[in-house]
């Protein structure tokens, strides 16, 4: 019962102890609240990911394996995906078969022909000045918006448009329900390891910060508790009173953190980081994690305070701290940083084909390294500053202060140390996985930048497409080909083995020059293309037709014969801008009639003038006018895995949030330390110490532990990153990736120091000497 009374006294001190106590309690509460809010957001991520995935799966449309009979509820759809200024614009054209068609999630009725339903983000873009070019791509009247149930996130650009021309003959598919499409491919084991590591790296600094926040104002608290000894309190009672104060501050911070989280998530829909956002309803913390967090924060505050009080001796006439007479021991501080890589290296090899990944060794190993760095940091700071002497007056003031008490300085930079160490390890791991998730495509963006493919065969549409693209603003050249399959006449469907078949590619001379090494070319020429070194495929082409022979160019039951001119020359195929080599028959336009190729398909490789702003958008607008569901891709030299890119974006967004928290925590800690030194600063100024001298001393006092912490963080991060790469069987390819990360950490410290200068000037006023 007496222990409970002691805790109650501590709580009363925290809330009724006057202005100084209120300031300290408020600093503690705000610090804890920031950490709790971020941890609650992290605990809500599993729900956010699962709900977004469920909404995306519920609206999925995929071509059915078997034909769907027409009914009153079925509809036809065509996928009309696009891109605008690098952002995906996705949607579908819909045409109902009857009066009661099925509807996608978030939509009540199918839009009528010539109208469309859009996401709120797409509507805002279309009505804005930035969406002028995009509006030309959508000749539909907006009649409504898609509800949240039909969108993956608030910033998604999505639409449904009504069509009166969709048919199964023009590439449309009939469906009887939405959803049920193929699920996304399971994540690679290498990316699972990356995700686990990212969670540890982003959340560990938050936990360290919360543990640091509950110790704000420790010096003034200890002096006040020493006064309790004068009225008969023993050591155990004072420790329990201190724990009660920490309990009050952390509980208030916990409640304030919930408020920050609940209020902040109402505005999350309007925030995008790396094109990622979420609906407020998506951010629902997982109940067990939220309960665990709510219990762990106040309990941890009490335990941390009791542990810190063990190194403080409070006598009735003052406070004695164990600093000089008892130096910090090193051996036990080395156990965790050494054990962490050992745990990772002792884990079995993880490969991309591994069926599952055990997360516990990865979490334990990474935490041992990162938390071990925070236990090692105070010893390193103490050992380094103890050997420093001399220098300018501001430097001496800073080093002397650190020599007297380096613990609070080490705690203040522990968050940035662990964050930089984790970032270094993540960077090494990212670089090590680069080649696994960024594949060379063999495409040549220098020869063409866009690839366009018609959605259904039509010789007439093919010629229209090539002509329209060449007249488009910003287009330098179009390598347009009209392609169809042709086989040897007289084929027997019952004959054993495949019947000789090849392709006919129609294009003008500049286009054919990109496809083969032509000695010369003029309209009316024809060629037989072979691929150098591919004897088997070349023989297959020759078996299908020889110059002077006939080819069946129709895929229907009724054959359409065409004679390959005897003047056709054999040429060697060359790699086109898509990285492909095409064999078969190459034909210039006047050598064959498009009427003979009713089933021809069109491919166009477009070279744009990069000096023309938005040239690629003009090309997409032209393609949409010809056929809204025409497929348009950018030609890239590197194909980036989408899951890898998503994980990277998520980690970047989390890094921003964590770094912002660390900056806020360091600013609060800095202000708290300055407030503790208010009287000392006023005394120094009253004795003639120049204010710039004190300002530089504060900068040095912050910079020295930071530099030491960054060096320790780089060493620990490199060790952790190397162990992780060894675990997944990848070599270390970049030992210097820490340079920009360390620079970012230094920039955060400089920013915090600059923000703390105005309060420093105010604290150096003579009225700081006044006491009661």
């Amino acid at each position: 019962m007496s222990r409970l009374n002691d805790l109650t006294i501590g709580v009363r001190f925290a809330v009724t102890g006057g202005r100084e106590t209120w300031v300290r309690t408020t600093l503690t509460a705000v610090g804890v609240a920031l950490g709790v809010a971020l941890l609650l957001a992290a605990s809500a991520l599993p729900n956010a990911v699962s709900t977004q995935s469920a909404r995306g799966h519920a609206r999925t449309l995929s071509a059915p394996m078997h034909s769907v009979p027409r009914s009153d509820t079925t509809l036809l759809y065509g996928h009309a995906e696009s891109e605008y200024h690098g952002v995906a614009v996705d949607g579908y054209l819909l045409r109902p078969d009857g009066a009661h068609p099925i509807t996608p999630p978030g939509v009540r009725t199918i839009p009528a022909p010539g109208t469309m339903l859009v996401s709120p983000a797409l509507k805002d873009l279309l009505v804005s000045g930035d969406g002028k070019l995009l509006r030309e791509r959508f000749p539909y009247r907006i009649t409504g918006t898609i509800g949240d149930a039909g969108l993956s996130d608030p910033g998604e650009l999505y639409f449904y448009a009504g069509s009166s021309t969709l048919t199964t003959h023009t590439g449309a598919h009939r469906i009887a329900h939405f959803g049920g499409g193929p699920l996304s491919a399971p994540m690679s084991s290498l990316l699972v390891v990356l995700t686990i590591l990212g969670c540890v790296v982003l959340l560990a600094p938050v936990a360290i910060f919360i543990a640091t926040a509950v110790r704000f104002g420790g010096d003034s608290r200890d002096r006040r508790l020493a006064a309790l000894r004068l009225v008969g309190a023993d050591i155990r009672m004072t420790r329990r009173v201190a724990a009660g104060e920490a309990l009050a501050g952390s509980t208030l911070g916990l409640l304030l953190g919930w408020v920050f989280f609940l209020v902040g998530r109402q505005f999350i829909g309007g925030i995008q980081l790396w094109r990622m956002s979420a609906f407020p309803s998506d951010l629902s913390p997982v109940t067990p994690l939220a309960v665990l967090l709510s219990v762990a924060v106040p309990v941890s505050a009490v335990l941390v305070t009791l542990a810190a009080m063990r190194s403080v001796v409070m006598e009735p006439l003052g406070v004695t701290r164990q600093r000089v007479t008892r130096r910090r021991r090193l051996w036990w501080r080395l156990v965790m940083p050494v054990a962490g890589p050992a745990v990772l290296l002792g884990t079995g090899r993880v490969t991309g084909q591994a069926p599952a990944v055990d997360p516990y060794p990865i979490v334990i190993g990474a935490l041992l390294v990162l938390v071990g760095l925070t236990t090692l940091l105070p010893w390193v700071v103490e050992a380094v500053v103890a050997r420093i002497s001399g220098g300018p007056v501001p430097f001496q003031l800073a080093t002397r202060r650190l020599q007297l008490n380096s613990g609070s300085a080490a705690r203040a930079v522990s968050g940035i140390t662990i964050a930089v160490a984790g970032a270094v390890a993540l960077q090494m791991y990212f670089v090590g996985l680069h080649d696994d998730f960024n594949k060379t495509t063999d495409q040549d963006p220098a020869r063409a930048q866009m690839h366009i493919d018609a959605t259904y065969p039509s010789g007439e549409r093919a010629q229209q497409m090539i002509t329209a693209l060449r007249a488009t603003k910003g287009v330098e050249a179009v390598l347009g080909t009209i392609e169809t399959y042709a086989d040897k006449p007289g084929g027997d469907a019952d004959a054993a083995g495949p019947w000789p078949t090849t392709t006919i590619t129609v294009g003008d001379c500049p286009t054919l020059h990109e496809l083969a090494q032509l000695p010369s070319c003029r309209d009316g020429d024809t060629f037989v293309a072979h691929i150098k070194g591919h004897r088997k495929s070349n023989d297959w082409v020759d078996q299908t037709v020889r110059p002077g022979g006939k080819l069946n160019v129709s895929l229907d039951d009724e054959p359409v014969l065409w004679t390959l001119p005897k003047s056709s020359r054999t040429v060697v195929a060359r790699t086109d801008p898509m990285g492909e080599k095409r064999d078969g028959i190459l034909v210039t336009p006047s050598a064959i009639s498009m009427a003979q190729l009713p089933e021809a398909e069109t491919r166009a490789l477009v070279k744009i003038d990069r000096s023309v702003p938005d040239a690629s958008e003009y090309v997409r607008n032209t393609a949409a006018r010809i056929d809204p569901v025409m497929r348009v891709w950018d030609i890239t030299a590197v194909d980036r895995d989408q899951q890898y890119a998503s994980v990277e974006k998520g980690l970047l967004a989390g890094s921003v949030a964590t770094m912002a928290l660390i900056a806020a925590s360091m600013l609060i800690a800095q202000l708290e330390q300055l407030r503790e030194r208010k009287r000392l600063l006023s005394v120094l100024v009253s004795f003639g110490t120049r204010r710039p001298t004190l300002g530089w001393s504060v900068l040095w006092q912050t910079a020295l532990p930071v530099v030491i912490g960054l060096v320790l963080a780089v060493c620990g991060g490199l060790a952790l990153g190397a162990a992780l790469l060894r675990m997944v069987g990848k070599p270390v390819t970049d030992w210097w990736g820490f340079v920009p990360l360390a620079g970012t950490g230094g920039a955060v410290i400089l920013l915090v120091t600059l923000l703390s200068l105005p309060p420093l000037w105010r604290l150096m006023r003579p009225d700081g000497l006044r006491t009661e």
Side-chain angles (χ1 to χ4, degrees), residues 15 57 169 174 206 266 309 362 367 382 389 418 421 450 458 526 563 587 599 640 676 691 720 737 743 766:
V15 297
H57 185 62
H169 299 292
R174 179 172 283 110
V206 181
Q266 300 305 315
M309 295 293 291
I362 301 172
L367 280 178
E382 182 183 83
S389 61
I418 194 173
M450 305 184 76
S458 168
T526 56
T563 302
V587 183
E599 301 297 322
R640 189 173 181 82
E676 291 283 342
R691 291 192 176 193
L720 177 58

Side-chain angles (χ1 to χ4, degrees), residues 103 182 379 438 457 499:
T103 57
W379 185 92
N438 296 274
W499 189 254

Side-chain angles (χ1 to χ4, degrees), residues 489-718:
D492 184 1
D494 297 327
W499 189 254
T501 305
T502 190
T503 59
I504 293 180
T505 302
V506 182
D508 58 16
C509 285
T511 298
L512 298 186
H513 271 294
E514 293 289 334
L515 305 182
Q517 300 173 13
L518 306 182
S520 63
C521 179
R522 64 172 180 262
D523 198 12
D525 287 347
T526 56
F527 306 90
V528 178
H530 287 175
I531 300 176
K532 187 176 181 179
H534 289 218
R535 182 176 179 180
K536 186 175 181 179
S537 64
N538 296 338
D539 290 343
W540 187 260
V541 173
D542 293 338
Q543 289 177 28
T544 307
V545 66
R546 292 182 181 274
K550 293 185 180 297
L551 273 175
N552 175 26
V553 296
S554 174
L555 302 181
D556 295 332
D557 294 335
E558 188 68 26
V560 176
L561 300 181
W562 175 74
T563 302
L564 179 64
K566 292 183 179 181
S567 59
S568 301
R569 290 167 286 178
T570 300
V571 296
V572 177
R574 63 176 296 200
T575 304
D576 68 7
M578 290 296 293
E580 301 173 355
K581 290 183 178 180
R582 307 187 207 179
D583 58 9
I585 312 302
L586 305 181
V587 183
T588 52
S590 64
I592 193 171
S593 171
M594 289 298 102
Q596 295 178 281
L597 307 176
E599 301 297 322
E601 297 185 1
T602 304
R603 297 174 66 185
L605 302 176
V606 180
K607 185 175 184 179
I608 61 176
D609 184 354
R610 298 182 186 274
S611 65
V612 177
D614 295 321
S616 60
E617 304 304 333
Y618 290 119
V619 172
R620 290 189 173 89
N621 286 354
T622 297
R625 281 195 300 270
I626 299 170
D627 185 355
V629 295
M630 190 174 291
R631 295 185 294 270
V632 182
W633 296 282
D634 288 329
I635 295 177
T636 58
V638 177
D639 182 23
R640 189 173 181 82
D641 183 86
Q642 292 302 312
Q643 288 184 337
Y644 177 82
S646 298
V647 172
E648 183 180 24
K649 289 180 181 179
L651 292 179
L652 285 173
S655 299
V656 170
T658 302
M659 194 60 69
L661 173 68
I662 290 173
S665 70
M666 293 195 66
L667 180 60
I668 294 174
Q670 185 84 320
L671 296 177
E672 184 267 338
Q673 290 184 31
L674 292 176
R675 189 180 63 84
E676 291 283 342
R677 298 172 59 197
K678 176 180 179 181
R679 179 179 296 277
L680 175 61
L681 293 172
S682 298
V683 169
L684 289 174
V685 172
S686 67
F687 276 96
T689 306
R690 298 172 61 242
R691 291 192 176 193
T693 299
L694 292 178
W696 280 107
S697 71
V698 171
L699 177 61
W700 278 114
Q701 187 178 332
T702 304
L704 285 174
V706 166
V707 172
I708 297 171
L710 290 179
V711 172
L712 188 63
V714 168
C715 296
L718 291 176

Side-chain angles (χ1 to χ4, degrees), residues 90-232:
D90 204 1
Y92 292 90
L93 300 184
L94 304 177
R95 183 181 185 184
D97 287 325
H100 303 89
I102 56 173
T103 57
V107 173
R108 293 185 178 180
T109 59
I110 300 298
T115 66
M116 68 176 180
L117 303 175
V118 297
S119 64
L122 180 56
K123 182 179 181 179
D124 293 340
L125 178 59
L126 289 174
V127 300
S128 69
D130 293 337
K132 179 180 178 181
L133 275 177
L134 186 60
R135 287 197 295 272
E136 298 177 11
R137 205 173 305 171
F138 293 103
Y140 313 104
R141 181 169 54 88
I142 299 176
T143 57
T145 57
I146 303 172
D148 293 352
L151 302 172
S152 62
D153 62 76
E156 187 178 23
L157 306 180
Y158 206 81
F159 71 93
Y160 294 108
S163 172
S164 60
T165 59
L166 279 180
T167 67
T168 55
H169 299 292
T170 57
H173 301 280
R174 179 172 283 110
I175 57 168
H177 60 85
F178 283 85
L183 295 173
S184 58
M187 184 176 289
S188 165
S189 299
L190 302 180
L191 290 183
V192 173
V193 173
L194 178 61
T195 304
I196 295 171
L197 176 64
C199 293
V200 174
V201 167
L202 296 179
L203 297 182
V206 181
I208 295 297
F209 167 56
I210 291 177
T212 302
V214 299
R215 298 182 65 178
F216 286 165
D219 292 346
S220 61
R221 176 202 61 197
D222 295 343
R223 289 193 297 270
R224 185 174 62 257
L225 292 177
L228 287 178
R229 299 295 310 279
L230 287 173
V231 294

Side-chain angles (χ1 to χ4, degrees), residues 84-412:
Y84 186 68
H85 291 165
V87 181
V89 182
D90 204 1
Y92 292 90
L93 300 184
L94 304 177
R95 183 181 185 184
D97 287 325
H100 303 89
I102 56 173
T103 57
V107 173
R108 293 185 178 180
T109 59
I110 300 298
T115 66
M116 68 176 180
L117 303 175
V118 297
S119 64
L122 180 56
K123 182 179 181 179
D124 293 340
L125 178 59
L126 289 174
V127 300
S128 69
D130 293 337
K132 179 180 178 181
L133 275 177
L134 186 60
R135 287 197 295 272
E136 298 177 11
R137 205 173 305 171
F138 293 103
Y140 313 104
R141 181 169 54 88
I142 299 176
T143 57
T145 57
I146 303 172
D148 293 352
L151 302 172
S152 62
D153 62 76
E156 187 178 23
L157 306 180
Y158 206 81
F159 71 93
Y160 294 108
S163 172
S164 60
T165 59
L166 279 180
T167 67
T168 55
H169 299 292
T170 57
H173 301 280
R174 179 172 283 110
I175 57 168
H177 60 85
F178 283 85
L183 295 173
S184 58
M187 184 176 289
S188 165
S189 299
L190 302 180
L191 290 183
V192 173
V193 173
L194 178 61
T195 304
I196 295 171
L197 176 64
C199 293
V200 174
V201 167
L202 296 179
L203 297 182
V206 181
I208 295 297
F209 167 56
I210 291 177
T212 302
V214 299
R215 298 182 65 178
F216 286 165
D219 292 346
S220 61
R221 176 202 61 197
D222 295 343
R223 289 193 297 270
R224 185 174 62 257
L225 292 177
L228 287 178
R229 299 295 310 279
L230 287 173
V231 294
D234 59 13
I235 293 293
R236 293 184 178 85
M237 178 180 177
T238 56
R239 290 176 179 174
R240 289 192 290 269
V241 171
E245 289 192 56
L247 179 63
S250 62
T251 302
L252 181 60
L254 177 65
L255 297 176
L256 195 59
W258 272 100
V259 172
F260 285 173
F261 170 74
L262 294 175
V263 172
R265 75 171 182 174
Q266 300 305 315
F267 302 96
I268 196 68
I271 300 175
Q272 280 199 352
L273 289 176
W274 285 277
R275 299 172 187 169
M276 298 177 65
S277 61
F279 289 109
S281 58
D282 292 341
L283 292 180
S284 266
V286 177
T287 302
L289 294 178
V291 172
L292 177 62
L293 176 63
S294 300
V295 174
V297 168
V299 171
S300 299
V302 172
L303 295 179
V304 167
T305 302
L306 292 176
M309 295 293 291
R310 295 182 60 187
S311 61
V312 181
V313 178
M314 283 171 294
E315 301 295 344
L317 298 179
V319 179
T320 302
R321 298 182 183 276
Q322 297 177 356
R323 290 193 306 270
V324 179
T325 57
R326 183 179 177 183
R327 298 183 62 84
R328 291 182 171 90
R329 296 179 181 178
L330 176 62
W331 67 269
W332 69 269
R333 300 175 188 272
L334 293 175
V335 172
M336 287 192 289
V338 174
V343 170
L344 294 174
L345 294 176
T347 305
R349 180 65 59 86
V350 176
T351 64
Q353 292 74 35
V357 176
D358 185 2
Y360 297 106
I362 301 172
V363 172
I364 293 172
L367 280 178
L368 285 174
V369 173
L370 298 178
V371 177
L373 292 177
T374 63
T375 62
L376 185 59
L377 179 62
W379 185 92
V380 176
V381 172
E382 182 183 83
V384 172
V385 298
R387 292 166 172 79
I388 297 177
S389 61
V393 173
F395 185 77
Q396 291 187 49
L397 287 173
T399 54
R400 184 55 181 160
R401 176 66 183 178
L402 291 173
Q403 289 167 354
L404 289 174
N405 182 13
S406 62
S408 58
R411 288 195 302 272

